[in-house]
Amino acid sequence: FIEFIEIVFGKANLEENLDYVANSIGRKACEASRHTIRRYFIKEFYKDHVKLYRKRPVYWMFHSGKQDGFNVLIYIHKYDGDTIEKIRTNYLHVLQTIYESEIKKLDVMLNLGISQEKKMNAVKKKEKIRKQLEECIEYDQVAKYVEDQGVKIDLDDGIGVNYKKFQRIQTKSSNN
């Protein structure tokens, strides 16, 4: 999104334009514009999109579950037979590697002589990431199953019919 804004409106006005967008979507006090925009896309965009399209979204949220381990939006008009495979290999598996690396870094940190407060924070962070990693591993199995089914969509069938084909991997449904 930021790259799009830069290309369309120019680099010279990028920060001013990002501030405008952030203020328009609800910037919190002391929050950087990039953080506001990221938060919006992660937590609020899909809800607004579903509402706008009256529960017939053209963007679909594939979401791993309660731990928020993995989220990805796909655009229905760009869906093809390789989309689920691309999601798994290009995004989900990469994120799993990042989670594993972060856990290893936290393990190293916990073995250093750090303050009790830092140690407690590191333990909490490690536990959260561990749960997200486990959720991603489980989600990958479900996504692999859907991928193996070779689900095809036909835009002429409409959003509702096609959307239902992916309910197994869309735990954030249009009813949220």
Side-chain angles (χ1 to χ4, degrees), residues 1-2 21-22 25 31-45 71 95 99:
F1 177 78
I2 292 169
V21 171
I25 59 176
E31 186 176 51
S33 59
R34 284 174 164 75
H35 183 76
T36 301
I37 293 166
R38 179 174 172 73
R39 177 179 46 80
Y40 175 77
F41 276 115
I42 291 172
K43 299 206 179 272
E44 300 165 30
F45 169 80
N71 294 304
L95 183 61
Y99 284 152

Side-chain angles (χ1 to χ4, degrees), residues 28-141:
K28 294 180 181 178
C30 298
E31 186 176 51
S33 59
R34 284 174 164 75
H35 183 76
T36 301
I37 293 166
R38 179 174 172 73
R39 177 179 46 80
Y40 175 77
F41 276 115
I42 291 172
K43 299 206 179 272
E44 300 165 30
F45 169 80
Y46 189 67
K47 183 179 173 183
D48 289 349
H49 177 70
V50 169
K51 189 173 152 187
L52 178 69
Y53 282 86
R54 296 190 181 117
K55 298 192 179 192
R56 297 287 189 246
V58 295
Y59 285 99
W60 295 347
M61 173 71 79
F62 289 5
H63 177 72
S64 62
K66 291 180 183 180
Q67 299 300 322
D68 284 330
F70 179 75
N71 294 304
V72 68
L73 286 170
I74 68 162
Y75 182 54
I76 184 175
H77 296 98
K78 292 289 187 177
Y79 179 86
D80 63 31
D82 295 331
T83 299
I84 305 300
E85 177 188 3
K86 290 175 189 172
I87 288 170
R88 289 181 61 242
T89 57
N90 297 347
Y91 302 102
L92 182 58
H93 294 165
V94 170
L95 183 61
Q96 287 173 309
T97 302
I98 291 169
Y99 284 152
E100 290 166 352
S101 176
E102 192 63 27
I103 288 170
K104 287 177 184 173
K105 286 179 190 174
L106 288 166
D107 282 339
V108 168
M109 190 171 140
L110 287 168
N111 289 325
L112 298 174
I114 59 174
S115 71
Q116 191 62 29
E117 181 182 350
K118 285 184 180 180
K119 189 176 260 189
M120 286 175 46
N121 288 338
V123 167
K124 285 180 186 177
K125 185 175 182 180
K126 179 183 171 185
E127 182 61 19
K128 179 180 179 181
I129 294 170
R130 186 192 60 75
K131 287 179 181 178
Q132 288 176 317
L133 176 60
E134 287 175 5
E135 181 178 86
C136 286
I137 291 168
E138 291 174 20
Y139 185 75
D140 185 41
Q141 293 170 356

